[in-house]
């Protein structure tokens, strides 16, 4: 098949002195890279996306007039100040500062989440609270876990057995489908921001009146769903000169002599080579390895085959009532209930319409091929209602219907061997000139959206006027990424 060579645009050729950057993927990281590069006037940018719309898993959509997300999303005030400033400028009054108002099941009782001092004192089961306090007092005398370090040993040594065994251990087993001692230390470092009971109590104290900052216990959320952030940023990037191409089937990434030359796509039955000075990839690094032409060394291919992502089904229960609860999110650590979290979208943006219905979005961690993955929406909806009944949240209002969305790459799985496999892939990709991988999928990072934005801004900062990457600056940014901590 003849390959048409396209130099600057998929549909038009233009002469420019700016570097040509091709961005793979129009999720948050890809969009933010296009936005930052064009805002700074650093490059001519094209974004290639397989889906029909931008946003990836951070897209929002409507069901019966209600804005819904792919699960529970918040834009956290701890984001980089430059990122927050840009998001505020893009959304204006549509960016709401909302109070966190969730709850979690601990010891069979509902506790406000994030934890509040008064609520914890009054509602925590007394044996649970006493055991938690005992863990804090006895920590200096507790014997450290022996054997290889893992998620389990780090949490047990830092938090003690009570909160580890009653919350974190069952919750992560549900999310990743592995026992805590089969998960890597990195997961504890990225997922658990409070490494001791004392730190947890410190966070609770900062929730007290007079101790709270203006954004403590709050989050940013757009009126039209979380996806409004990515949508507005993509629109601005396009207005600044970026080109977005959707429905693109990437067939291979061509490289020669240690340098990536461009990306081959199939459009309308014809293959086209998009030549680039830099390819900025935000798609799963395992997919990147498969697309490389010629193929990488066997060790890299084997490492990519060993790395995996955790899937998830999002189950949307449409109910004939204005509100189901007053809470934005519910967390379910117990293993007897397959869903990990439930959100009520109308409570995120304080929507008042429609009056006659609401939606409950459940997050059901599972992989393609598991029993839940093949079930119909109707059957999953019946299970969903049963689970809520077991949790003391009976569905006593009309169930209009159930819809689902399935994500094959919801979370990176940090098993005990993932780091060596990731390092093998990362070293090879990092050795290619003209190629940079970043973002949640590109760096196998269990991060928030504001972290993906920060990575994209760093990728933009690292591009030099001659179209090469400042590898010293990028290495410094990669070091900063290691401090990212997931905000629930």
């Amino acid at each position: 098949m003849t390959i048409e060579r396209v130099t600057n645009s998929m549909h038009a050729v233009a002469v420019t002195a700016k570097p040509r950057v091709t961005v793979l993927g129009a999720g948050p990281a890809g969009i933010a890279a296009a936005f930052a590069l064009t805002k700074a006037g650093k490059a001519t940018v094209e974004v290639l996306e397989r889906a029909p719309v931008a946003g990836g898993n951070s897209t929002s959509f409507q069901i019966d007039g209600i804005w819904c997300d792919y699960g529970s999303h918040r834009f956290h005030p701890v984001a980089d100040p430059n990122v927050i400033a840009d998001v505020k400028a893009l959304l204006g009054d549509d960016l709401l500062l909302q109070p966190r108002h969730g709850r979690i099941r601990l010891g069979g009782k509902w506790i406000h989440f994030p934890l509040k001092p008064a609520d914890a004192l009054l509602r925590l089961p007394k044996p649970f609270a006493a055991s938690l306090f005992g863990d804090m007092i006895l920590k200096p005398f507790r014997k450290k876990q022996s054997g290889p370090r893992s998620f389990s040993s780090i949490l047990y040594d830092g938090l003690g057995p009570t909160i580890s065994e009653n919350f974190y251990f069952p919750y992560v087993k549900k999310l990743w489908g592995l026992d805590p001692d089969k998960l890597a230390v990195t997961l504890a470092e990225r997922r658990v921001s409070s490494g001791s009971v004392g730190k947890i109590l410190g966070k609770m104290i900062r929730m007290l009146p007079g101790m709270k900052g203006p954004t403590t216990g709050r989050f940013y959320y757009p009126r039209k769903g979380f996806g409004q952030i990515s949508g507005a940023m993509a629109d601005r990037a396009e207005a600044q000169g970026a080109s977005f191409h959707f429905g693109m089937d990437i067939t291979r990434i061509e490289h020669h002599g240690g340098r990536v030359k461009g990306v081959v796509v199939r459009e309308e039955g014809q293959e086209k080579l998009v030549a680039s000075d830099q390819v900025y990839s935000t798609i799963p690094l395992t997919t990147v390895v498969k697309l490389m032409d010629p193929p990488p060394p066997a060790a890299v291919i084997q490492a990519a085959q060993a790395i995996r992502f955790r899937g998830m089904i999002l189950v949307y229960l449409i109910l004939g009532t204005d509100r189901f609860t007053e809470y934005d999110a519910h967390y379910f650590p117990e293993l007897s209930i397959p869903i990990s979290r439930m959100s009520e979208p109308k409570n995120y943006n304080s929507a008042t319409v429609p009056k006659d219905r609401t939606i409950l979005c459940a997050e059901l961690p599972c992989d393609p091929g598991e029993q839940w993955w093949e079930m119909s929406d109707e059957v999953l909806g019946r299970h969903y209602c049963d689970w809520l009944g077991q949790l003391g949240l009976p569905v006593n209002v009309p169930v209009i219907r159930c819809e689902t969305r399935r994500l094959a790459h919801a979370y990176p799985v940090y098993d005990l061997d993932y780091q060596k496999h990731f390092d093998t892939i990362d070293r090879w990709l990092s050795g290619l000139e003209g190629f940079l991988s970043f973002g949640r999928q590109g760096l196998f990072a269990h991060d928030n959206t504001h972290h993906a934005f920060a990575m994209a801004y760093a990728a933009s900062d690292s591009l030099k006027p001659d179209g090469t990457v400042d590898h010293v600056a990028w290495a410094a940014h990669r070091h900063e990424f290691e401090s990212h901590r997931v905000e629930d």
Side-chain angles (χ1 to χ4, degrees), residues 296-374:
V300 176
I301 295 174
Q302 291 169 3
Q305 291 170 343
I307 274 181
R308 68 186 182 91
F309 292 83
R310 179 68 160 161
M312 179 174 289
I313 303 176
L314 301 168
V315 190
Y316 300 87
L317 198 65
I318 300 100
L319 303 177
T321 186
D322 183 41
R323 285 287 192 284
F324 186 73
T325 74
E326 65 183 84
Y327 300 96
D328 49 26
H330 291 74
Y331 296 81
F332 314 120
E334 54 264 82
L335 286 172
S336 60
I337 304 296
I339 56 177
S340 58
R341 178 168 57 181
M342 179 180 77
S343 52
E344 189 164 358
K346 284 176 72 174
N347 292 343
Y348 276 64
N349 61 355
S350 302
T352 58
V353 292
K355 291 286 188 183
D356 61 346
R357 64 194 57 198
T358 191
I359 293 174
L360 303 179
C361 173
E363 298 172 27
L364 175 57
C366 71
D367 293 321
E370 293 186 24
Q371 61 166 333
W372 306 114
W373 197 269
E374 307 302 327

Side-chain angles (χ1 to χ4, degrees), residues 237-260:
E238 197 165 30
Q240 292 168 174
S243 299
F244 285 79
H245 307 281
F246 300 103
M248 303 304 298
D249 180 17
I250 300 173
T251 60
R252 59 189 182 275
I253 300 171
E254 292 191 348
H255 64 99
H256 179 72
R259 181 175 183 83
V260 168

Side-chain angles (χ1 to χ4, degrees), residues 27-44:
I31 290 170
F35 169 80
L37 286 166
T38 53
K39 181 183 179 183
K42 300 186 73 170
T44 299

Side-chain angles (χ1 to χ4, degrees), residues 106-392:
L106 289 176
K109 291 191 176 182
W110 292 110
I111 312 295
H112 193 277
F113 190 80
L115 296 176
K116 291 182 176 181
D119 192 71
L121 287 171
L122 294 174
R123 294 183 180 273
L124 271 179
K126 296 298 185 290
F128 184 94
S131 182
L132 192 64
F133 185 72
D135 288 346
M136 182 177 66
I137 299 299
L138 297 174
K139 181 179 178 180
F141 310 101
R142 190 163 54 241
K143 184 179 179 181
K144 297 287 186 180
Q145 292 282 290
S146 60
R149 297 171 76 238
S150 66
F151 177 91
S152 174
S153 65
I154 293 296
L155 260 70
Y156 189 91
D157 290 341
L159 294 172
T162 304
I163 197 164
S164 295
E165 294 172 2
N166 288 277
F167 173 51
Y168 280 111
F169 289 178
Y171 196 66
V172 299
K173 184 173 183 178
K174 187 186 301 189
L175 283 181
W176 281 276
L178 293 173
D179 289 328
D181 59 354
K182 302 298 183 184
L183 293 166
V185 170
T186 310
L187 182 63
E189 295 171 343
R190 292 194 175 226
R191 183 79 193 184
V192 185
S193 58
S194 298
S196 70
V197 175
K199 288 183 179 179
I200 292 174
L201 293 174
K203 292 181 83 170
M204 291 169 60
I205 290 171
R206 289 192 290 274
M207 294 287 289
L208 290 169
M211 302 288 290
K212 297 169 62 173
T215 60
T216 301
R218 295 175 178 270
F219 65 99
Y220 290 109
Y221 193 84
R223 293 186 194 277
K224 298 178 181 178
F226 190 81
Q228 189 178 357
I229 297 175
S230 294
M233 189 171 280
D235 289 344
R236 182 62 60 84
E238 197 165 30
Q240 292 168 174
S243 299
F244 285 79
H245 307 281
F246 300 103
M248 303 304 298
D249 180 17
I250 300 173
T251 60
R252 59 189 182 275
I253 300 171
E254 292 191 348
H255 64 99
H256 179 72
R259 181 175 183 83
V260 168
K261 301 297 185 180
V263 179
V264 178
V265 299
R266 182 178 291 109
E267 185 181 28
E268 297 177 353
Q270 186 177 16
E271 285 194 337
K272 299 181 180 181
L273 174 67
V274 185
S276 311
D277 295 302
Q278 285 290 332
V279 173
Y280 275 12
S281 176
T282 68
I283 64 179
L285 78 169
T286 50
T287 301
V288 166
V289 170
K290 293 177 183 178
L291 291 173
M292 283 293 172
D293 184 25
V300 176
I301 295 174
Q302 291 169 3
Q305 291 170 343
I307 274 181
R308 68 186 182 91
F309 292 83
R310 179 68 160 161
M312 179 174 289
I313 303 176
L314 301 168
V315 190
Y316 300 87
L317 198 65
I318 300 100
L319 303 177
T321 186
D322 183 41
R323 285 287 192 284
F324 186 73
T325 74
E326 65 183 84
Y327 300 96
D328 49 26
H330 291 74
Y331 296 81
F332 314 120
E334 54 264 82
L335 286 172
S336 60
I337 304 296
I339 56 177
S340 58
R341 178 168 57 181
M342 179 180 77
S343 52
E344 189 164 358
K346 284 176 72 174
N347 292 343
Y348 276 64
N349 61 355
S350 302
T352 58
V353 292
K355 291 286 188 183
D356 61 346
R357 64 194 57 198
T358 191
I359 293 174
L360 303 179
C361 173
E363 298 172 27
L364 175 57
C366 71
D367 293 321
E370 293 186 24
Q371 61 166 333
W372 306 114
W373 197 269
E374 307 302 327
M375 285 186 181
S376 68
D377 291 0
E378 182 181 359
V379 173
L380 280 171
R382 289 201 296 268
H383 280 293
Y384 191 175
C385 291
D386 289 342
W387 297 329
L388 291 178
Q390 294 174 43
L391 291 162

